[in-house]
Amino acid sequence: MKFFVDTADLKEIEELAATGLLDGVTTNPSIIAKSGQEFIPLIKEICDIVDGPVSAEVAATDFDTMMKEAEILRKIADHVAIKVPLTPDGLRVCKALTDEGTMVNVTLCFSAAQALLAAKAGASFISPFVGRLDDISSDGLALIQDICLIYENYNFDTEVLVASVRSPMHIIEAAKMGAHVMTSPPSVIKQLYKHPLTDSGLAAFVEDWKNSGQSIL
Ligand code: G3P
């Protein structure tokens, strides 16, 4: 499973990139607005830190303007994935861009029907929002299961990018289903390392080693 981080915080991105486990970055208009930074230079800076796909989302909602925005965004770097909303116009943009070899991440997916359309439009990534479905008492992970099954049935190349991740269990359950990618806030990625038995076991090893009086170096 590839790990993307859903943030525009450069310090967090640098820290995660240094682990060697980070495969890409996703942003959205809300994340950019929250960062208080200028969009295009910020995406450029992220692209300089991370080699994998960096999602940058169009702001318009009509075909012509989305295409113009995408033209600017894809010039930032070859590994920018243009993020478009799952609408008829968004999927038209997706088809036009992927036909030209540009990566496209189709976002705001909340149903298997929408995911099927995105795959037919040639999306590189489909982003189903598990957390937001859970928030309205729907089953976000059941949607991941359905999309993985449908994509497998037809050998679609579109990668399932599990988005709106709220907890490590979203990641583990999606990984069990074979989802290709997940994107989460940095805090959730950091939680993946944690287990109380690791902490207590390490504390015991450190103490026992100290008492042995030995040194490796
Ligand atoms: O970037 C898309 C998605 O990951 C947003 O998540 O937490 O705003 O529902 P969230």
Side-chain angles (χ1 to χ4, degrees):
M1 182 184 239
K2 290 176 212 161
F3 281 12
F4 292 178
V5 66
D6 203 24
T7 188
D9 183 324
L10 293 172
K11 211 170 136 268
E12 294 274 22
I13 293 169
E14 269 167 1
E15 197 185 309
L16 285 163
T19 66
L21 304 179
L22 187 65
D23 302 296
V25 177
T26 51
T27 63
N28 63 37
S30 306
I31 287 172
I32 299 296
K34 194 174 149 208
S35 78
Q37 298 197 60
E38 214 184 315
F39 184 31
I40 290 169
L42 180 56
I43 295 295
K44 170 91 184 77
E45 278 198 73
I46 296 172
C47 287
D48 288 344
I49 301 168
V50 178
D51 292 334
V54 174
S55 288
E57 189 160 342
V58 294
T61 55
D62 67 283
F63 176 79
D64 289 334
T65 320
M66 277 192 272
M67 284 301 287
K68 283 182 196 149
E69 291 177 344
E71 199 49 46
I72 292 168
L73 296 177
R74 70 175 170 178
K75 282 196 185 117
I76 298 173
D78 286 345
H79 55 298
V80 166
I82 307 298
K83 212 170 172 189
V84 300
L86 209 152
T87 60
D89 279 32
L91 292 190
R92 266 187 74 200
V93 173
C94 173
K95 182 84 177 71
L97 293 177
T98 54
D99 280 353
E100 291 172 4
T102 297
M103 273 190 294
V104 175
N105 176 359
V106 176
T107 189
L108 292 167
C109 172
F110 294 95
S111 79
Q114 291 178 320
L116 181 55
L117 290 170
K120 286 178 68 64
S124 319
F125 303 101
I126 181 69
S127 291
F129 281 28
V130 290
R132 291 195 196 181
L133 280 169
D134 289 356
D135 290 346
I136 59 157
S137 304
S138 197
D139 187 346
L141 286 167
L143 174 60
I144 301 301
Q145 182 89 74
D146 285 349
I147 299 173
C148 287
L149 174 67
I150 291 168
Y151 282 10
E152 212 177 288
N153 283 347
Y154 295 96
N155 280 324
F156 282 124
D157 291 332
T158 306
E159 295 191 43
V160 180
L161 197 175
V162 183
S164 185
V165 163
R166 305 267 196 264
S167 75
M169 285 319 289
H170 274 153
I171 300 171
I172 299 313
E173 291 305 317
K176 281 157 71 177
M177 293 166 189
H180 309 86
V181 195
M182 74 84 198
T183 190
S184 82
S187 57
V188 178
I189 296 178
K190 288 175 188 167
Q191 281 179 60
L192 293 173
Y193 286 92
K194 293 192 196 309
H195 197 286
L197 292 179
T198 304
D199 296 341
S200 58
L202 181 59
F205 286 160
V206 168
E207 183 62 18
D208 291 345
W209 185 249
K210 201 170 108 196
N211 292 338
S212 80
Q214 297 190 60
S215 159
I216 298 171
L217 298 176

